Amino acid sequence: MSERCIANECLDTTGFSYTLSLINGKYKMTILYTLMEFEIVRFNEMKKYISNISYKTLSATLKELEADQLIHRKEYPQIPPKVEYSLTERGKSLIPILDGMCEWGDKNRL
């Protein structure tokens, strides 16, 4: 088997790069973790749980995750409006990665 040469490779074509493009962002992993832990979460509950995120940033990040089909947004036709978020099957496929990060953090916390 021949050795790989970095001069012949491109990071953009790797699975790592694609995955990172979906989960990269200040709060994306936090939102995914929140939905992994609590399954179905309303907007204001998530805002309260992730205390340092602004409403605008939370809304924009949720829209990006929904566009990438990692989360599902369910809107109820009522007043006041009720919206719930949950992981899609595609989003749930990230749970082993999130679990691994949690385990690593528990073992390596200083």
Side-chain angles (χ1 to χ4, degrees), residues 22 27-28 31-32 35 43 46 53 55-73 75 83 85 88:
L22 297 179
Y27 294 101
K28 285 185 178 182
I31 290 168
L32 293 169
L35 294 174
F43 184 91
M46 193 171 311
I53 191 171
Y55 287 100
K56 182 178 177 181
T57 300
L58 177 57
S59 180
T61 306
L62 288 167
K63 286 177 184 173
E64 289 174 17
L65 290 167
E66 184 182 12
D68 290 331
Q69 301 175 342
L70 295 175
I71 66 169
H72 174 71
R73 180 182 189 271
E75 187 173 345
V83 179
Y85 295 91
T88 61

Side-chain angles (χ1 to χ4, degrees), residues 24-42:
N24 195 22
K26 187 170 182 180
Y27 294 101
K28 285 185 178 182
M29 291 294 288
T30 304
I31 290 168
L32 293 169
Y33 169 79
T34 302
L35 294 174
M36 177 187 81
E37 287 294 302
F38 299 102
E39 295 183 11
I40 298 173
V41 181
R42 294 179 65 181

Side-chain angles (χ1 to χ4, degrees), residues 45-106:
E45 293 171 332
M46 193 171 311
K47 169 63 180 98
K48 187 176 178 182
Y49 184 70
I50 310 170
S51 57
N52 56 342
I53 191 171
S54 71
Y55 287 100
K56 182 178 177 181
T57 300
L58 177 57
S59 180
T61 306
L62 288 167
K63 286 177 184 173
E64 289 174 17
L65 290 167
E66 184 182 12
D68 290 331
Q69 301 175 342
L70 295 175
I71 66 169
H72 174 71
R73 180 182 189 271
K74 184 173 183 178
E75 187 173 345
Y76 294 89
Q78 66 184 51
I79 296 176
K82 177 182 174 182
V83 179
E84 294 178 336
Y85 295 91
S86 59
L87 292 175
T88 61
E89 288 304 313
R90 187 176 194 211
K92 288 177 184 176
S93 70
L94 290 168
I95 288 176
I97 294 168
L98 296 168
D99 280 339
M101 291 176 68
C102 292
E103 288 174 24
W104 188 91
D106 288 340

